[in-house]
Every structure is written in structure tokens, then in C-alpha cells.
């Protein structure tokens, strides 16, 4: 078994290692809390979106292990998050009813249902929006329903020749009166890349009645696949995503089904990356039927690469990433791919981009010409960029 003792835990800021200690209920915490920068500790708790579960664990252990003013900040944030999640529950029920009445099958990907599934309490996980997955054939119909109900669509997707269907994976709606955001997915992840079809995911769905009415969400193995591929794509830059993995690994996951699923979609080393990081950061006990993840080739290398995001407190949702972070993340994303995935990605770059349309506007009936023109348009943009720099 490869648990890789060389991961860079010792180089992490003390405040972050204490955060991991508190979240994993390690012993000997009292000795670690001297000379703490508590403002930085709070900054990390909020950056990594773990303040609700952190508050609950500190309260259940002994709230006096941290300064009263720090505990008060966590308590206030915990209560605010609880109200936020209650509001999302209400909207979740509303959206579920809209889709049920319109015979649109939907799966909830995250939000309150994930909090219940992994933590047993909606207040212990943060969520700023609802994420739902529906068949791509129902997108237009749901769009009309949501617009009628007061949602506004964020038309940020620029597309040519229908590439949005596979290059993108969701569209965002915002309800100004309710102050809520809804992400409607037709894929789990952006393309190119293979993933389970909606029909497959629907056949393995689970049902939750925590709202008093049935809502559906991903099966355990599909949820693991979704969470590890999502977390790795973001460099595990928020430890909440790893805490989700830690929680899920405490449940009964079928090792055979999971292995087949990850193998089919070229994600074995990503599953291994998540398992290694979880054991290192949260002392996760990997069930015997899942220990094969720790021995996956390249998993340890990928796990070490993830420490870059922790060391630098990277926020990939920032409007402007430092060049060194942008370049590192680009390389890391490429290292996550298998050879067939890299080949597919290379082929996909030959398909026209919306930037080709911006470089040389053509009537829609001539858009097919972007295929032979793409290398020349790409070269023109590069030449112009170098000339302006």
C-alpha cells in the first residue's frame, strides 16, 4: 500500500494543520494552539468553506480550546449558513415540483441533499446555489419554465457550431427576488471526455424524503466519481471537497462497482489521488475493499501536486489568477488525463472555437469553413498577441 509519507504536510501553515486536526478530531490539539494567528485561521476556515462543520466539532469537543471571539465568529457564520441552507431547501422543493409537474427527470448533484447524505444535517455543509442535472433534450423546456418563474439566464456561453453541448456542462440562472442561483447541468463535467449518460445515472439514482417529498440524487459510486473528478479538476483547492470524500468513505461503497466505473472513465488515478489526500489530511480509514485506490500508479504524484493549491491558498474562481497559478493549473489538469483523454483533447482543439468567429465573422451558413480556416485564424491571433506584447 502506498500511503506516500513524503507529502508536504510539514510545510503547510500551522493554522492550516490545526484546522485539519480539529476537523479530524485528532488528539493532542491543545499543545498545537500556542502562537496561533487566529485571524488567518478564520480566513482559512472561510476560504475552504468548512466553518459550519468546524463550529460543530469544536462545540462538541470543548469550545474553550479556541478564543471566545473566534468561536463567536464561527457560531454566527454557522447560523447564517443554516438559514441559507433552509432557503435552498425551500427552493429545492420548488424546482423539484416544477420539474415533476413537467415530467422532466432531474438529479440533485449538491446542495442540501449532499449535506444530508454526507453529514446528516443540512447545517454542516455550505452551498451557495443548487446544482441539478437533467437530460439535454429537456434544457429548452426547463429554460422556458424557469424564465416564467422569474429566473434570469446568464448567457455567458459563447458558442459556434453547437460546441456548447460538449465543451460546456451547465448554464446558470439567477432569481433576483429570491437572491438564489441555480445551475442546470446536462453533463457532470465540461468536455471533451466520456462520462456516464443521464440514463445510466438515472438508473442508479437514490431517493431522499428529507423534504417530505421524494427528490433524487446520485448513487454512491456515481457520487464518488462525480466528487473526485470535480475536486481534482479544481486542484482540491478547497478542503471541503476532500472532507466530502472523507465522509463518503465512511459509508458503504461497493469497491467492485467503483473500480469498474473509474476504470471505464479513466479516473482510477484520480480516485487514488483523493484517497491518499484524505488519509493524509483527515486520517481517513480506507475500507479494505477500496485500498486498491492507494496503490494506483501516479496517484501519489497527483496528490503531491495538489499541495500547491493548499500552500498558495488558491482561489480558482478569482477573476484574475496570477500567471504562475494559471500555468500550474493548466499543467495539472493535463496530468490528470489518461493518454486517450489527452488524445481526445488534442483532437477537440481542431474543432472551431467562438474566438474563430470573433476573429473572422462569417454568416451562419458558412460556419463550416471554420474547420479548414482554424489553423490560420489561430496563427493570426498568436501573431497579433505577440505584436501587441
Amino acid at each position: 500500500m502506498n500511503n506516500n509519507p513524503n507529502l508536504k504536510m510539514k510545510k503547510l501553515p500551522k493554522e492550516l494543520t490545526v484546522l485539519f486536526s480539529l476537523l479530524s478530531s485528532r488528539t493532542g490539539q491543545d499543545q498545537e494552539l500556542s502562537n496561533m494567528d487566529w485571524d488567518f485561521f478564520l480566513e482559512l476556515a472561510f476560504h475552504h468553506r468548512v466553518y459550519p462543520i468546524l463550529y460543530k466539532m469544536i462545540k462538541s469537543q470543548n469550545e474553550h480550546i479556541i478564543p471566545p471571539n473566534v468561536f463567536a465568529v464561527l457560531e454566527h457564520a454557522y447560523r447564517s449558513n443554516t438559514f441559507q441552507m433552509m432557503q435552498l431547501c425551500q427552493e429545492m422543493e420548488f424546482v423539484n415540483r416544477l420539474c415533476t409537474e413537467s415530467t422532466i427527470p432531474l438529479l440533485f448533484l449538491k446542495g442540501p441533499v449532499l449535506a444530508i447524505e454526507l453529514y446528516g444535517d443540512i447545517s454542516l455543509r455550505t452551498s451557495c446555489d443548487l446544482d441539478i442535472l437533467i437530460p439535454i433534450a429537456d434544457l429548452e423546456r426547463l429554460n422556458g419554465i424557469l424564465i416564467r418563474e422569474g429566473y434570469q439566464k446568464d448567457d455567458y456561453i459563447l458558442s459556434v457550431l453547437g460546441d456548447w453541448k460538449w465543451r460546456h456542462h451547465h448554464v446558470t440562472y439567477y432569481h433576483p427576488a429570491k437572491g438564489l442561483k441555480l445551475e442546470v447541468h446536462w453533463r457532470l463535467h465540461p468536455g471533451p471526455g466520456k462520462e456516464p449518460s443521464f440514463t445510466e445515472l438515472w438508473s442508479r439514482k437514490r431517493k431522499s424524503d428529507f423534504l417530505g417529498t421524494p427528490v433524487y440524487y446520485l448513487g454512491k459510486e456515481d457520487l464518488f466519481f462525480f466528487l473526485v473528478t470535480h475536486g481534482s479538476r479544481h486542484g482540491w483547492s478547497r478542503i471541503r471537497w476532500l472532507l466530502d470524500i472523507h465522509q463518503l468513505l465512511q459509508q458503504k461503497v461497493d469497491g467492485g462497482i467503483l473500480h469498474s466505473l473509474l476504470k471505464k472513465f479513466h479516473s482510477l488515478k484520480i480516485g487514488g489521488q483523493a484517497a491518499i489526500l484524505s488519509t493524509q489530511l483527515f486520517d481517513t480509514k480506507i475500507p479494505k475493499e477500496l485500498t486498491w485506490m492507494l496503490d494506483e500508479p501516479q496517484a501519489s504524484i497527483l496528490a503531491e501536486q495538489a499541495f500547491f493549491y493548499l500552500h498558495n491558498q488558491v482561489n480558482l474562481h478569482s477573476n484574475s489568477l496570477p500567471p504562475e497559478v494559471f500555468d500550474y493549473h493548466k499543467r495539472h489538469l493535463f496530468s490528470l488525463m489518461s493518454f486517450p483523454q489527452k488524445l481526445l483533447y488534442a483532437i477537440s482543439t481542431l474543432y472551431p472555437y467562438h474566438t474563430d468567429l470573433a476573429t473572422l465573422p462569417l454568416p451562419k451558413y458558412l460556419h463550416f469553413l471554420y474547420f479548414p480556416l482554424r489553423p490560420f485564424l489561430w496563427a493570426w491571433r498568436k501573431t497579433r498577441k505577440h505584436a501587441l506584447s
Side-chain angles (χ1 to χ4, degrees):
M1 184 184 300
N2 185 359
N3 244 350
N4 193 5
N6 298 317
L7 288 178
K8 305 170 184 176
M9 279 290 290
K10 291 183 179 179
K11 294 183 180 179
L12 292 176
K14 178 178 182 178
E15 290 74 15
L16 187 55
T17 59
V18 168
L19 186 61
F20 285 127
S21 265
L22 292 170
L23 289 171
S24 56
S25 302
R26 293 184 187 130
T27 57
Q29 295 164 359
D30 293 337
Q31 290 73 28
E32 302 173 6
L33 302 182
S34 59
N35 302 317
M36 283 278 290
D37 182 340
W38 289 107
D39 289 336
F40 183 46
F41 175 82
L42 286 173
E43 181 184 326
L44 289 170
F46 285 98
H47 168 75
H48 289 291
R49 306 292 194 266
V50 292
Y51 56 88
I53 184 70
L54 178 64
Y55 162 78
K56 202 71 172 180
M57 296 189 81
I58 291 174
K59 187 177 181 181
S60 65
Q61 295 170 28
N62 181 354
E63 62 189 75
H64 300 297
I65 63 177
I66 67 172
N69 62 312
V70 176
F71 184 79
V73 172
L74 290 174
E75 183 174 35
H76 176 75
Y78 166 81
R79 296 188 188 282
S80 296
N81 181 66
T82 301
F83 287 123
Q84 166 79 2
M85 294 298 280
M86 290 172 65
Q87 188 180 16
L88 285 177
C89 282
Q90 186 176 10
E91 194 64 11
M92 186 178 171
E93 185 177 13
F94 176 69
V95 171
N96 186 64
R97 179 167 54 81
L98 287 179
C99 290
T100 300
E101 291 173 352
S102 302
T103 64
I104 298 175
L106 83 158
L107 294 167
F108 287 92
L109 297 176
K110 292 185 284 185
V113 71
L114 187 57
I116 289 290
E117 166 64 16
L118 297 182
Y119 301 92
D121 188 333
I122 62 168
S123 68
L124 298 184
R125 190 182 188 276
T126 65
S127 188
C128 63
D129 56 22
L130 288 177
D131 294 74
I132 66 172
L133 178 72
I134 68 169
I136 192 170
D138 290 318
L139 274 178
E140 196 58 40
R141 198 152 56 98
L142 182 57
N143 176 72
I145 294 170
L146 293 175
I147 297 299
R148 285 196 300 271
E149 294 296 335
Y151 272 96
Q152 297 174 357
K153 184 180 180 182
D154 183 359
D155 283 315
Y156 62 91
I157 294 179
L158 300 173
S159 178
V160 62
L161 292 166
D163 67 335
W164 64 270
K165 295 178 182 179
W166 57 272
R167 278 198 168 123
H168 296 272
H169 65 303
H170 70 75
V171 64
T172 302
Y173 292 85
Y174 180 74
H175 200 295
K178 297 178 180 179
L180 292 175
K181 189 170 73 170
L182 174 68
E183 287 190 357
V184 179
H185 295 241
W186 59 91
R187 290 174 55 91
L188 293 176
H189 306 291
K194 294 182 179 180
E195 63 178 40
S197 67
F198 183 88
T199 302
E200 291 177 87
L201 296 172
W202 184 256
S203 71
R204 299 190 289 262
K205 68 183 183 298
R206 288 180 288 169
K207 182 175 75 169
S208 174
D209 295 307
F210 83 98
L211 290 176
T213 184
V215 296
Y216 299 101
Y217 63 110
L218 296 173
K220 271 196 174 63
E221 293 73 32
D222 289 321
L223 181 61
F224 186 91
F225 167 74
F226 170 63
L227 292 178
V228 297
T229 45
H230 175 271
S232 64
R233 184 162 51 86
H234 289 83
W236 301 106
S237 52
R238 297 203 196 283
I239 60 175
R240 179 191 63 185
W241 297 322
L242 275 172
L243 194 58
D244 289 344
I245 299 302
H246 169 74
Q247 294 294 119
L248 184 53
L249 287 171
Q250 311 308 305
Q251 302 181 7
K252 180 67 176 176
V253 178
D254 189 301
I257 294 176
L258 182 60
H259 187 276
S260 297
L261 184 66
L262 295 180
K263 183 178 180 180
K264 181 178 180 181
F265 297 107
H266 306 275
S267 299
L268 285 169
K269 62 182 179 180
I270 293 175
Q273 178 200 38
I276 290 172
L277 286 170
S278 188
T279 58
Q280 288 291 318
L281 301 178
F282 297 114
D283 292 340
T284 307
K285 305 302 180 188
I286 306 296
K288 185 177 180 180
E289 60 271 21
L290 297 178
T291 52
W292 50 264
M293 288 195 293
L294 300 173
D295 297 316
E296 279 302 313
Q298 301 181 55
S300 294
I301 296 173
L302 292 178
E304 286 208 52
Q305 290 178 9
F307 273 78
F308 172 86
Y309 300 88
L310 294 178
H311 284 297
N312 294 281
Q313 202 175 332
V314 172
N315 179 10
L316 292 175
H317 294 97
S318 172
N319 292 329
S320 174
L321 288 176
E324 64 275 13
V325 174
F326 179 85
D327 292 340
Y328 185 93
H329 187 56
K330 188 175 180 180
R331 292 194 302 272
H332 183 63
L333 287 178
F334 199 66
S335 69
L336 293 173
M337 299 181 193
S338 64
F339 178 75
Q341 288 173 324
K342 291 175 181 176
L343 183 61
L344 180 60
Y345 173 77
I347 294 172
S348 75
T349 61
L350 302 176
Y351 197 98
Y353 283 78
H354 68 88
T355 48
D356 298 319
L357 178 60
T359 304
L360 179 64
L362 292 174
K364 192 169 184 178
Y365 68 91
L366 292 178
H367 281 186
F368 70 93
L369 291 176
Y370 286 125
F371 282 99
L373 288 172
R374 173 153 172 72
F376 303 101
L377 296 174
W378 176 84
W380 170 255
R381 285 194 298 272
K382 287 293 182 183
T383 302
R384 292 289 295 169
K385 182 178 179 181
H386 287 307
L388 295 172
S389 61

